[in-house]
C-alpha cells in the first residue's frame, strides 16, 4: 500500500492560514489523495480529495505537487474549531478497507492558539 | 439529525462478557463500514457491507467478532468473550455508491472499556 508521512503535530494561531503537509513519494498514478479530520470525541469527517489538480471547497484547499509526491491541505483562516487530527490518505483502486478503500495513519494533531 | 448514529455511545463491561453495538447509517446509503480506533492511532478497518452482503473482513476481525446488516439498513457489531485488548472506540461509517468515492460519513463512535 502506498503510504503517507505527516508531521505528528503542528501549531498555528487563530485567524491565520494553516498549511498541513503530506508526503506520499510512492503514490501511483491511480491513487486519489483524501483528507479527513477528526475533532475531539467525534468520528472522522471528510474534508477534501483530489487526483492531480488543486481543489477548493468550502472547508479547505488542496494543493498537489506536480510530481504528486506531496500535497498540502490549506485552511485559509484557522479558527479554534479547526483544532483536530488531520489525516492524509491515499485511496487506490484497491487500498484495502472496502470499496471506498481508506487506510488511516496517525495524522497530524493541529493545535490552534487563540 | 440525519447523520450516522451509533448506540450505545459508551459501554463498560467485564472481561468475558458479550457486547453489541448498533449503527444506523444515513438512510439512502448502501455501504456501511466498521472501524476500530485505539488511543493515539487512526481508525483501523474491520469490515464492510454493501446492502446486506458482508463483502470484506479485516484480519483484525477475530472469530469473537461478528457483524450483521440483516436488511441492508442498520448494522450490529457483536464482540463475544470480551478481552481487555478490545477496549477501543468502534466507529461506523456509511457511503453511497455513485457519490464521491472515498467520501465516508462517520458516526460519533461507541467507546468500549473492558475491565
Amino acid at each position: 500500500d502506498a503510504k503517507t508521512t505527516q508531521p505528528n503535530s503542528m501549531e498555528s494561531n487563530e485567524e491565520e492560514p494553516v498549511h498541513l503537509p503530506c508526503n506520499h513519494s510512492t503514490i501511483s498514478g491511480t491513487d486519489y489523495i483524501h483528507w479527513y479530520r477528526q475533532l475531539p470525541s467525534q468520528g472522522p469527517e471528510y474534508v477534501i480529495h483530489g487526483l492531480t489538480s488543486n481543489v477548493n471547497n468550502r472547508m479547505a484547499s488542496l494543493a498537489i505537487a506536480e510530481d504528486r509526491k506531496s500535497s498540502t491541505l490549506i485552511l485559509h483562516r484557522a479558527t479554534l474549531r479547526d483544532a483536530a487530527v488531520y489525516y492524509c490518505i491515499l485511496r487506490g483502486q484497491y487500498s484495502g478497507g472496502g470499496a471506498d478503500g481508506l487506510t488511516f495513519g496517525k495524522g497530524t494533531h493541529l493545535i490552534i492558539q487563540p | 439529525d440525519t447523520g450516522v448514529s451509533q448506540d450505545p455511545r459508551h459501554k463498560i463491561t467485564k472481561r468475558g462478557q458479550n457486547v453489541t453495538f448498533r449503527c444506523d447509517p444515513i438512510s439512502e446509503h448502501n455501504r456501511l463500514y466498521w472501524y476500530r480506533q485505539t488511543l493515539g492511532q487512526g481508525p483501523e478497518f474491520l469490515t464492510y457491507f454493501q446492502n446486506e452482503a458482508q463483502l470484506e473482513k479485516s484480519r483484525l476481525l477475530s472469530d469473537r467478532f461478528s457483524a450483521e446488516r440483516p436488511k441492508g439498513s442498520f448494522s450490529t457489531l457483536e464482540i463475544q468473550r470480551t478481552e481487555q485488548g478490545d477496549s477501543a472506540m468502534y466507529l461506523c461509517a456509511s457511503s453511497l455508491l455513485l457519490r464521491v468515492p472515498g467520501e465516508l460519513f462517520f458516526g460519533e463512535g461507541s467507546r468500549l472499556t473492558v475491565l
Side-chain angles (χ1 to χ4, degrees):
Chain A
D1 290 343
K3 295 192 186 300
T4 62
T5 304
Q6 299 178 255
N8 289 333
S9 66
M10 289 184 63
E11 203 166 306
S12 184
N13 295 319
E14 198 176 10
E15 298 187 7
E16 290 186 357
V18 180
H19 291 236
L20 294 162
C22 181
N23 288 320
H24 28 79
S25 58
T26 58
I27 191 171
S28 75
T30 55
D31 285 341
Y32 285 81
I33 302 159
H34 286 257
W35 284 81
Y36 275 73
R37 72 179 186 180
Q38 188 170 20
L39 300 165
S41 301
Q42 295 192 24
E45 172 187 31
Y46 168 84
V47 177
I48 200 167
H49 82 286
L51 183 60
T52 56
S53 303
N54 294 345
V55 184
N56 300 298
N57 67 20
R58 62 175 180 82
M59 290 181 71
S61 295
L62 176 59
I64 301 172
E66 199 168 330
D67 64 5
R68 300 206 331 123
K69 293 186 177 182
S70 66
S71 61
T72 303
L73 180 72
I74 302 165
L75 307 179
H76 294 286
R77 192 165 165 269
T79 70
L80 295 177
R81 288 174 295 178
D82 291 321
V85 178
Y86 286 78
Y87 298 98
C88 170
I89 302 164
L90 297 185
R91 186 183 66 84
Q93 186 173 13
Y94 182 75
S95 297
D100 291 295
L102 296 183
T103 301
F104 289 81
K106 290 189 178 182
T108 296
H109 184 201
L110 177 62
I111 299 164
I112 304 295
Q113 297 288 356
Chain B
D1 189 305
T2 57
V4 177
S5 65
Q6 294 189 243
D7 183 70
R9 294 290 313 280
H10 303 274
K11 178 74 177 178
I12 299 174
T13 191
K14 293 182 179 177
R15 190 177 53 186
Q17 298 294 305
N18 299 344
V19 296
T20 300
F21 301 113
R22 176 181 169 122
C23 171
D24 287 90
I26 294 172
S27 60
E28 68 269 23
H29 284 191
N30 50 4
R31 291 178 170 170
L32 187 146
Y33 300 77
W34 285 99
Y35 284 80
R36 181 176 74 183
Q37 185 173 27
T38 54
L39 204 60
Q41 305 295 316
E44 298 171 293
F45 168 76
L46 291 179
T47 190
Y48 149 67
F49 291 83
Q50 183 156 310
N51 300 313
E52 65 275 9
Q54 188 173 19
L55 296 185
E56 188 170 342
K57 291 193 279 189
S58 159
R59 291 171 298 167
L60 293 174
L61 210 68
S62 77
D63 50 11
R64 295 185 298 106
F65 288 68
S66 62
E68 293 183 344
R69 194 182 183 199
K71 296 182 180 179
S73 56
F74 74 91
S75 175
T76 57
L77 177 69
E78 181 183 15
I79 309 174
Q80 296 183 326
R81 305 181 303 282
T82 52
E83 302 173 355
Q84 288 184 323
D86 297 331
S87 295
M89 176 75 83
Y90 291 86
L91 292 160
C92 176
S94 68
S95 69
L96 181 63
L97 182 63
L98 301 181
R99 272 291 301 266
V100 174
E103 184 180 11
L104 270 59
F105 294 82
F106 282 83
E108 293 186 322
S110 293
R111 180 167 295 284
L112 174 65
T113 302
V114 182
L115 302 176

